[in-house]
Amino acid sequence: MAKIILTGVDGNLGSVAAAELMKLTEKENLLFCGYNTDVLASYAREGVETQQTDFNNLEGLADKFIGADVLALISMPFVGEKRQRAHKNVVDAAKEAGVKKIIYTSLVNAADVTNPSIEKIDHAFTENYIKKSNLDYIFLRNSQYAEAMITNYFTFVNQGSNLQNNQGEGKMAYISRKDCAKAVAYALLADNLHHKILNINGKQLLTISEFIEIGNEKTGNHVKYQFVSDEENYAIFDSMGVPRTTEGQFKKDSEAPFSSDGMVTFGQAIRKNKMSNFTKDFEYLTGDEPISVQFMFEHSEKFQIGQRHSLDK
């Protein structure tokens, strides 16, 4: 069979997707791509073909993809025109190489022009560009990673203060990053799905207050929720040393390894219920139920957001 390409195997999501794929299909069917040569070498030692790729440069990129039918583009960790160019390069190279189908990790409600999330802009651009390419596709529109908010919960536990953000009473079907990775693996092998948009949502819709209540119940802590304005939320992230944009400097071992522009506008979108999609698409794709927030808090050491691994902002 033709090769299945998974990109971003040196990242948090891609590494879990890689492990899932190796359970679902033979290693000789796989081609893993990434930026970090040390990580790629570890996969090569396991018998998986690898290619070092830099999506910022189109030259020679198509050569890395030749011989594949389907490619999973895991969205890049920077925001704005740089990400859009990188994603465009991947799509152009894939098409030139003869790839027929792209799996793309997008964001819930990406097509809604009223969605204030700055992250959404890049995802909408990429979805539209893939459609215009006339390639087959599956768009995996992921809900917010529960891991991000579980790590955030313990940040405020350790501070002995209320959990403060701008989400208000908006709802989100928080999903584990592990499940988002599983969805990528299954989508790569879904020969029966064509030109599909799937919402990869968690097990239940929750406000941030309800999320915190589950955390308190499962951990014995007593965190309370405190709504703050968008500007106050920026100030909180500023005090943590979080950069406003992905062009800024990220602190090593930060408990919030994202840009505050991304997080604050994401909070706005949740507050306005622009992220309240709730479907069974994950179960439809994988045959499994998503991991519950309750389970994640019970095993919280395994559900932390982790470090930012990108060697390229």
Side-chain angles (χ1 to χ4, degrees):
M1 67 179 288
K3 290 282 186 179
I4 296 166
I5 297 178
L6 174 63
T7 68
V9 296
D10 44 351
N12 289 309
L13 178 64
S15 61
V16 180
E20 287 285 345
L21 265 178
M22 287 191 287
K23 291 188 289 186
L24 294 173
T25 190
E26 300 299 321
K27 293 176 183 177
E28 55 262 32
N29 299 331
L30 301 173
L31 171 58
F32 287 171
C33 296
Y35 192 86
N36 188 319
T37 53
D38 291 338
V39 173
L40 293 176
S42 69
Y43 287 117
R45 287 193 291 271
E46 294 186 59
V48 178
E49 183 181 350
T50 65
Q51 288 281 5
Q52 199 275 340
T53 50
D54 177 2
F55 295 162
N56 297 307
N57 298 303
L58 181 59
E59 185 177 356
L61 188 58
D63 296 338
K64 308 288 181 77
F65 298 157
I66 289 174
D69 268 346
V70 58
L71 176 150
L73 171 56
I74 293 179
S75 57
M76 303 298 285
F78 32 82
V79 179
E81 290 184 6
K82 183 178 180 181
R83 173 155 64 170
Q84 293 176 26
R85 285 194 303 270
H87 289 180
K88 180 179 181 294
N89 286 343
V90 175
V91 176
D92 289 344
K95 188 172 181 178
E96 181 183 341
V99 172
K100 298 178 177 65
K101 185 178 185 181
I102 291 185
I103 314 301
Y104 176 61
T105 57
S106 188
L107 177 67
V108 291
N109 206 18
D112 184 352
V113 296
T114 69
N115 181 343
S117 166
I118 194 170
E119 301 266 359
K120 176 268 306 185
I121 298 170
D122 298 341
H123 293 299
F125 168 87
T126 306
E127 286 189 6
N128 289 331
Y129 195 76
I130 292 170
K131 287 180 179 179
K132 290 176 183 176
S133 74
N134 294 318
L135 293 171
D136 194 2
Y137 61 82
I138 301 175
F139 299 151
L140 303 172
R141 290 182 174 173
N142 295 331
S143 289
Q144 186 177 22
Y145 294 158
E147 286 88 345
M149 297 313 299
I150 289 173
T151 297
N152 189 242
Y153 171 89
F154 283 105
T155 295
F156 287 97
V157 167
N158 294 333
Q159 290 178 358
S161 61
N162 297 332
L163 191 156
Q164 301 174 322
N165 70 28
N166 64 336
Q167 292 178 208
E169 294 304 306
K171 292 193 173 184
M172 166 61 72
Y174 297 97
I175 188 159
S176 171
R177 183 171 55 200
K178 298 177 190 294
D179 280 338
C180 293
K182 180 184 282 189
V184 171
Y186 275 83
L188 277 166
L189 298 170
D191 295 336
N192 60 321
L193 298 183
H194 305 281
H195 298 96
K196 293 286 283 189
I197 297 174
L198 301 178
N199 287 290
I200 306 303
N201 310 134
K203 199 177 181 75
Q204 61 194 130
L205 274 174
L206 298 168
T207 65
I208 188 62
S209 296
E210 292 167 336
F211 184 93
I212 290 168
E213 286 175 10
I214 293 171
N216 289 340
E217 177 187 346
K218 297 300 181 181
T219 68
N221 291 298
H222 302 282
V223 178
K224 293 183 179 179
Y225 176 61
Q226 180 181 342
F227 173 77
V228 296
S229 69
D230 298 336
E231 285 306 314
E232 288 171 323
N233 211 163
Y234 272 117
I236 290 169
F237 288 126
D238 289 346
S239 70
M240 295 171 64
V242 173
R244 290 277 178 124
T245 73
T246 52
E247 295 301 311
Q249 185 67 39
F250 288 88
K251 291 175 62 176
K252 182 175 171 53
D253 299 326
S254 171
E255 294 172 324
F258 309 102
S259 70
S260 58
D261 269 353
M263 291 185 285
V264 172
T265 60
F266 212 88
Q268 292 173 354
I270 294 173
R271 185 174 73 236
K272 296 178 179 181
N273 273 317
K274 298 295 183 180
M275 302 292 207
S276 57
N277 299 63
F278 184 56
T279 71
K280 296 289 186 180
D281 287 353
F282 175 81
E283 188 172 349
Y284 162 73
L285 177 62
T286 67
D288 293 328
E289 290 188 355
I291 303 166
S292 69
V293 171
Q294 287 84 349
F295 181 89
M296 286 185 265
F297 267 113
E298 288 170 353
H299 304 84
S300 59
E301 71 284 354
K302 297 180 180 179
F303 294 93
Q304 299 292 315
I305 198 59
Q307 296 182 17
R308 188 178 182 89
H309 292 292
S310 176
L311 298 178
D312 176 6
K313 294 178 185 177

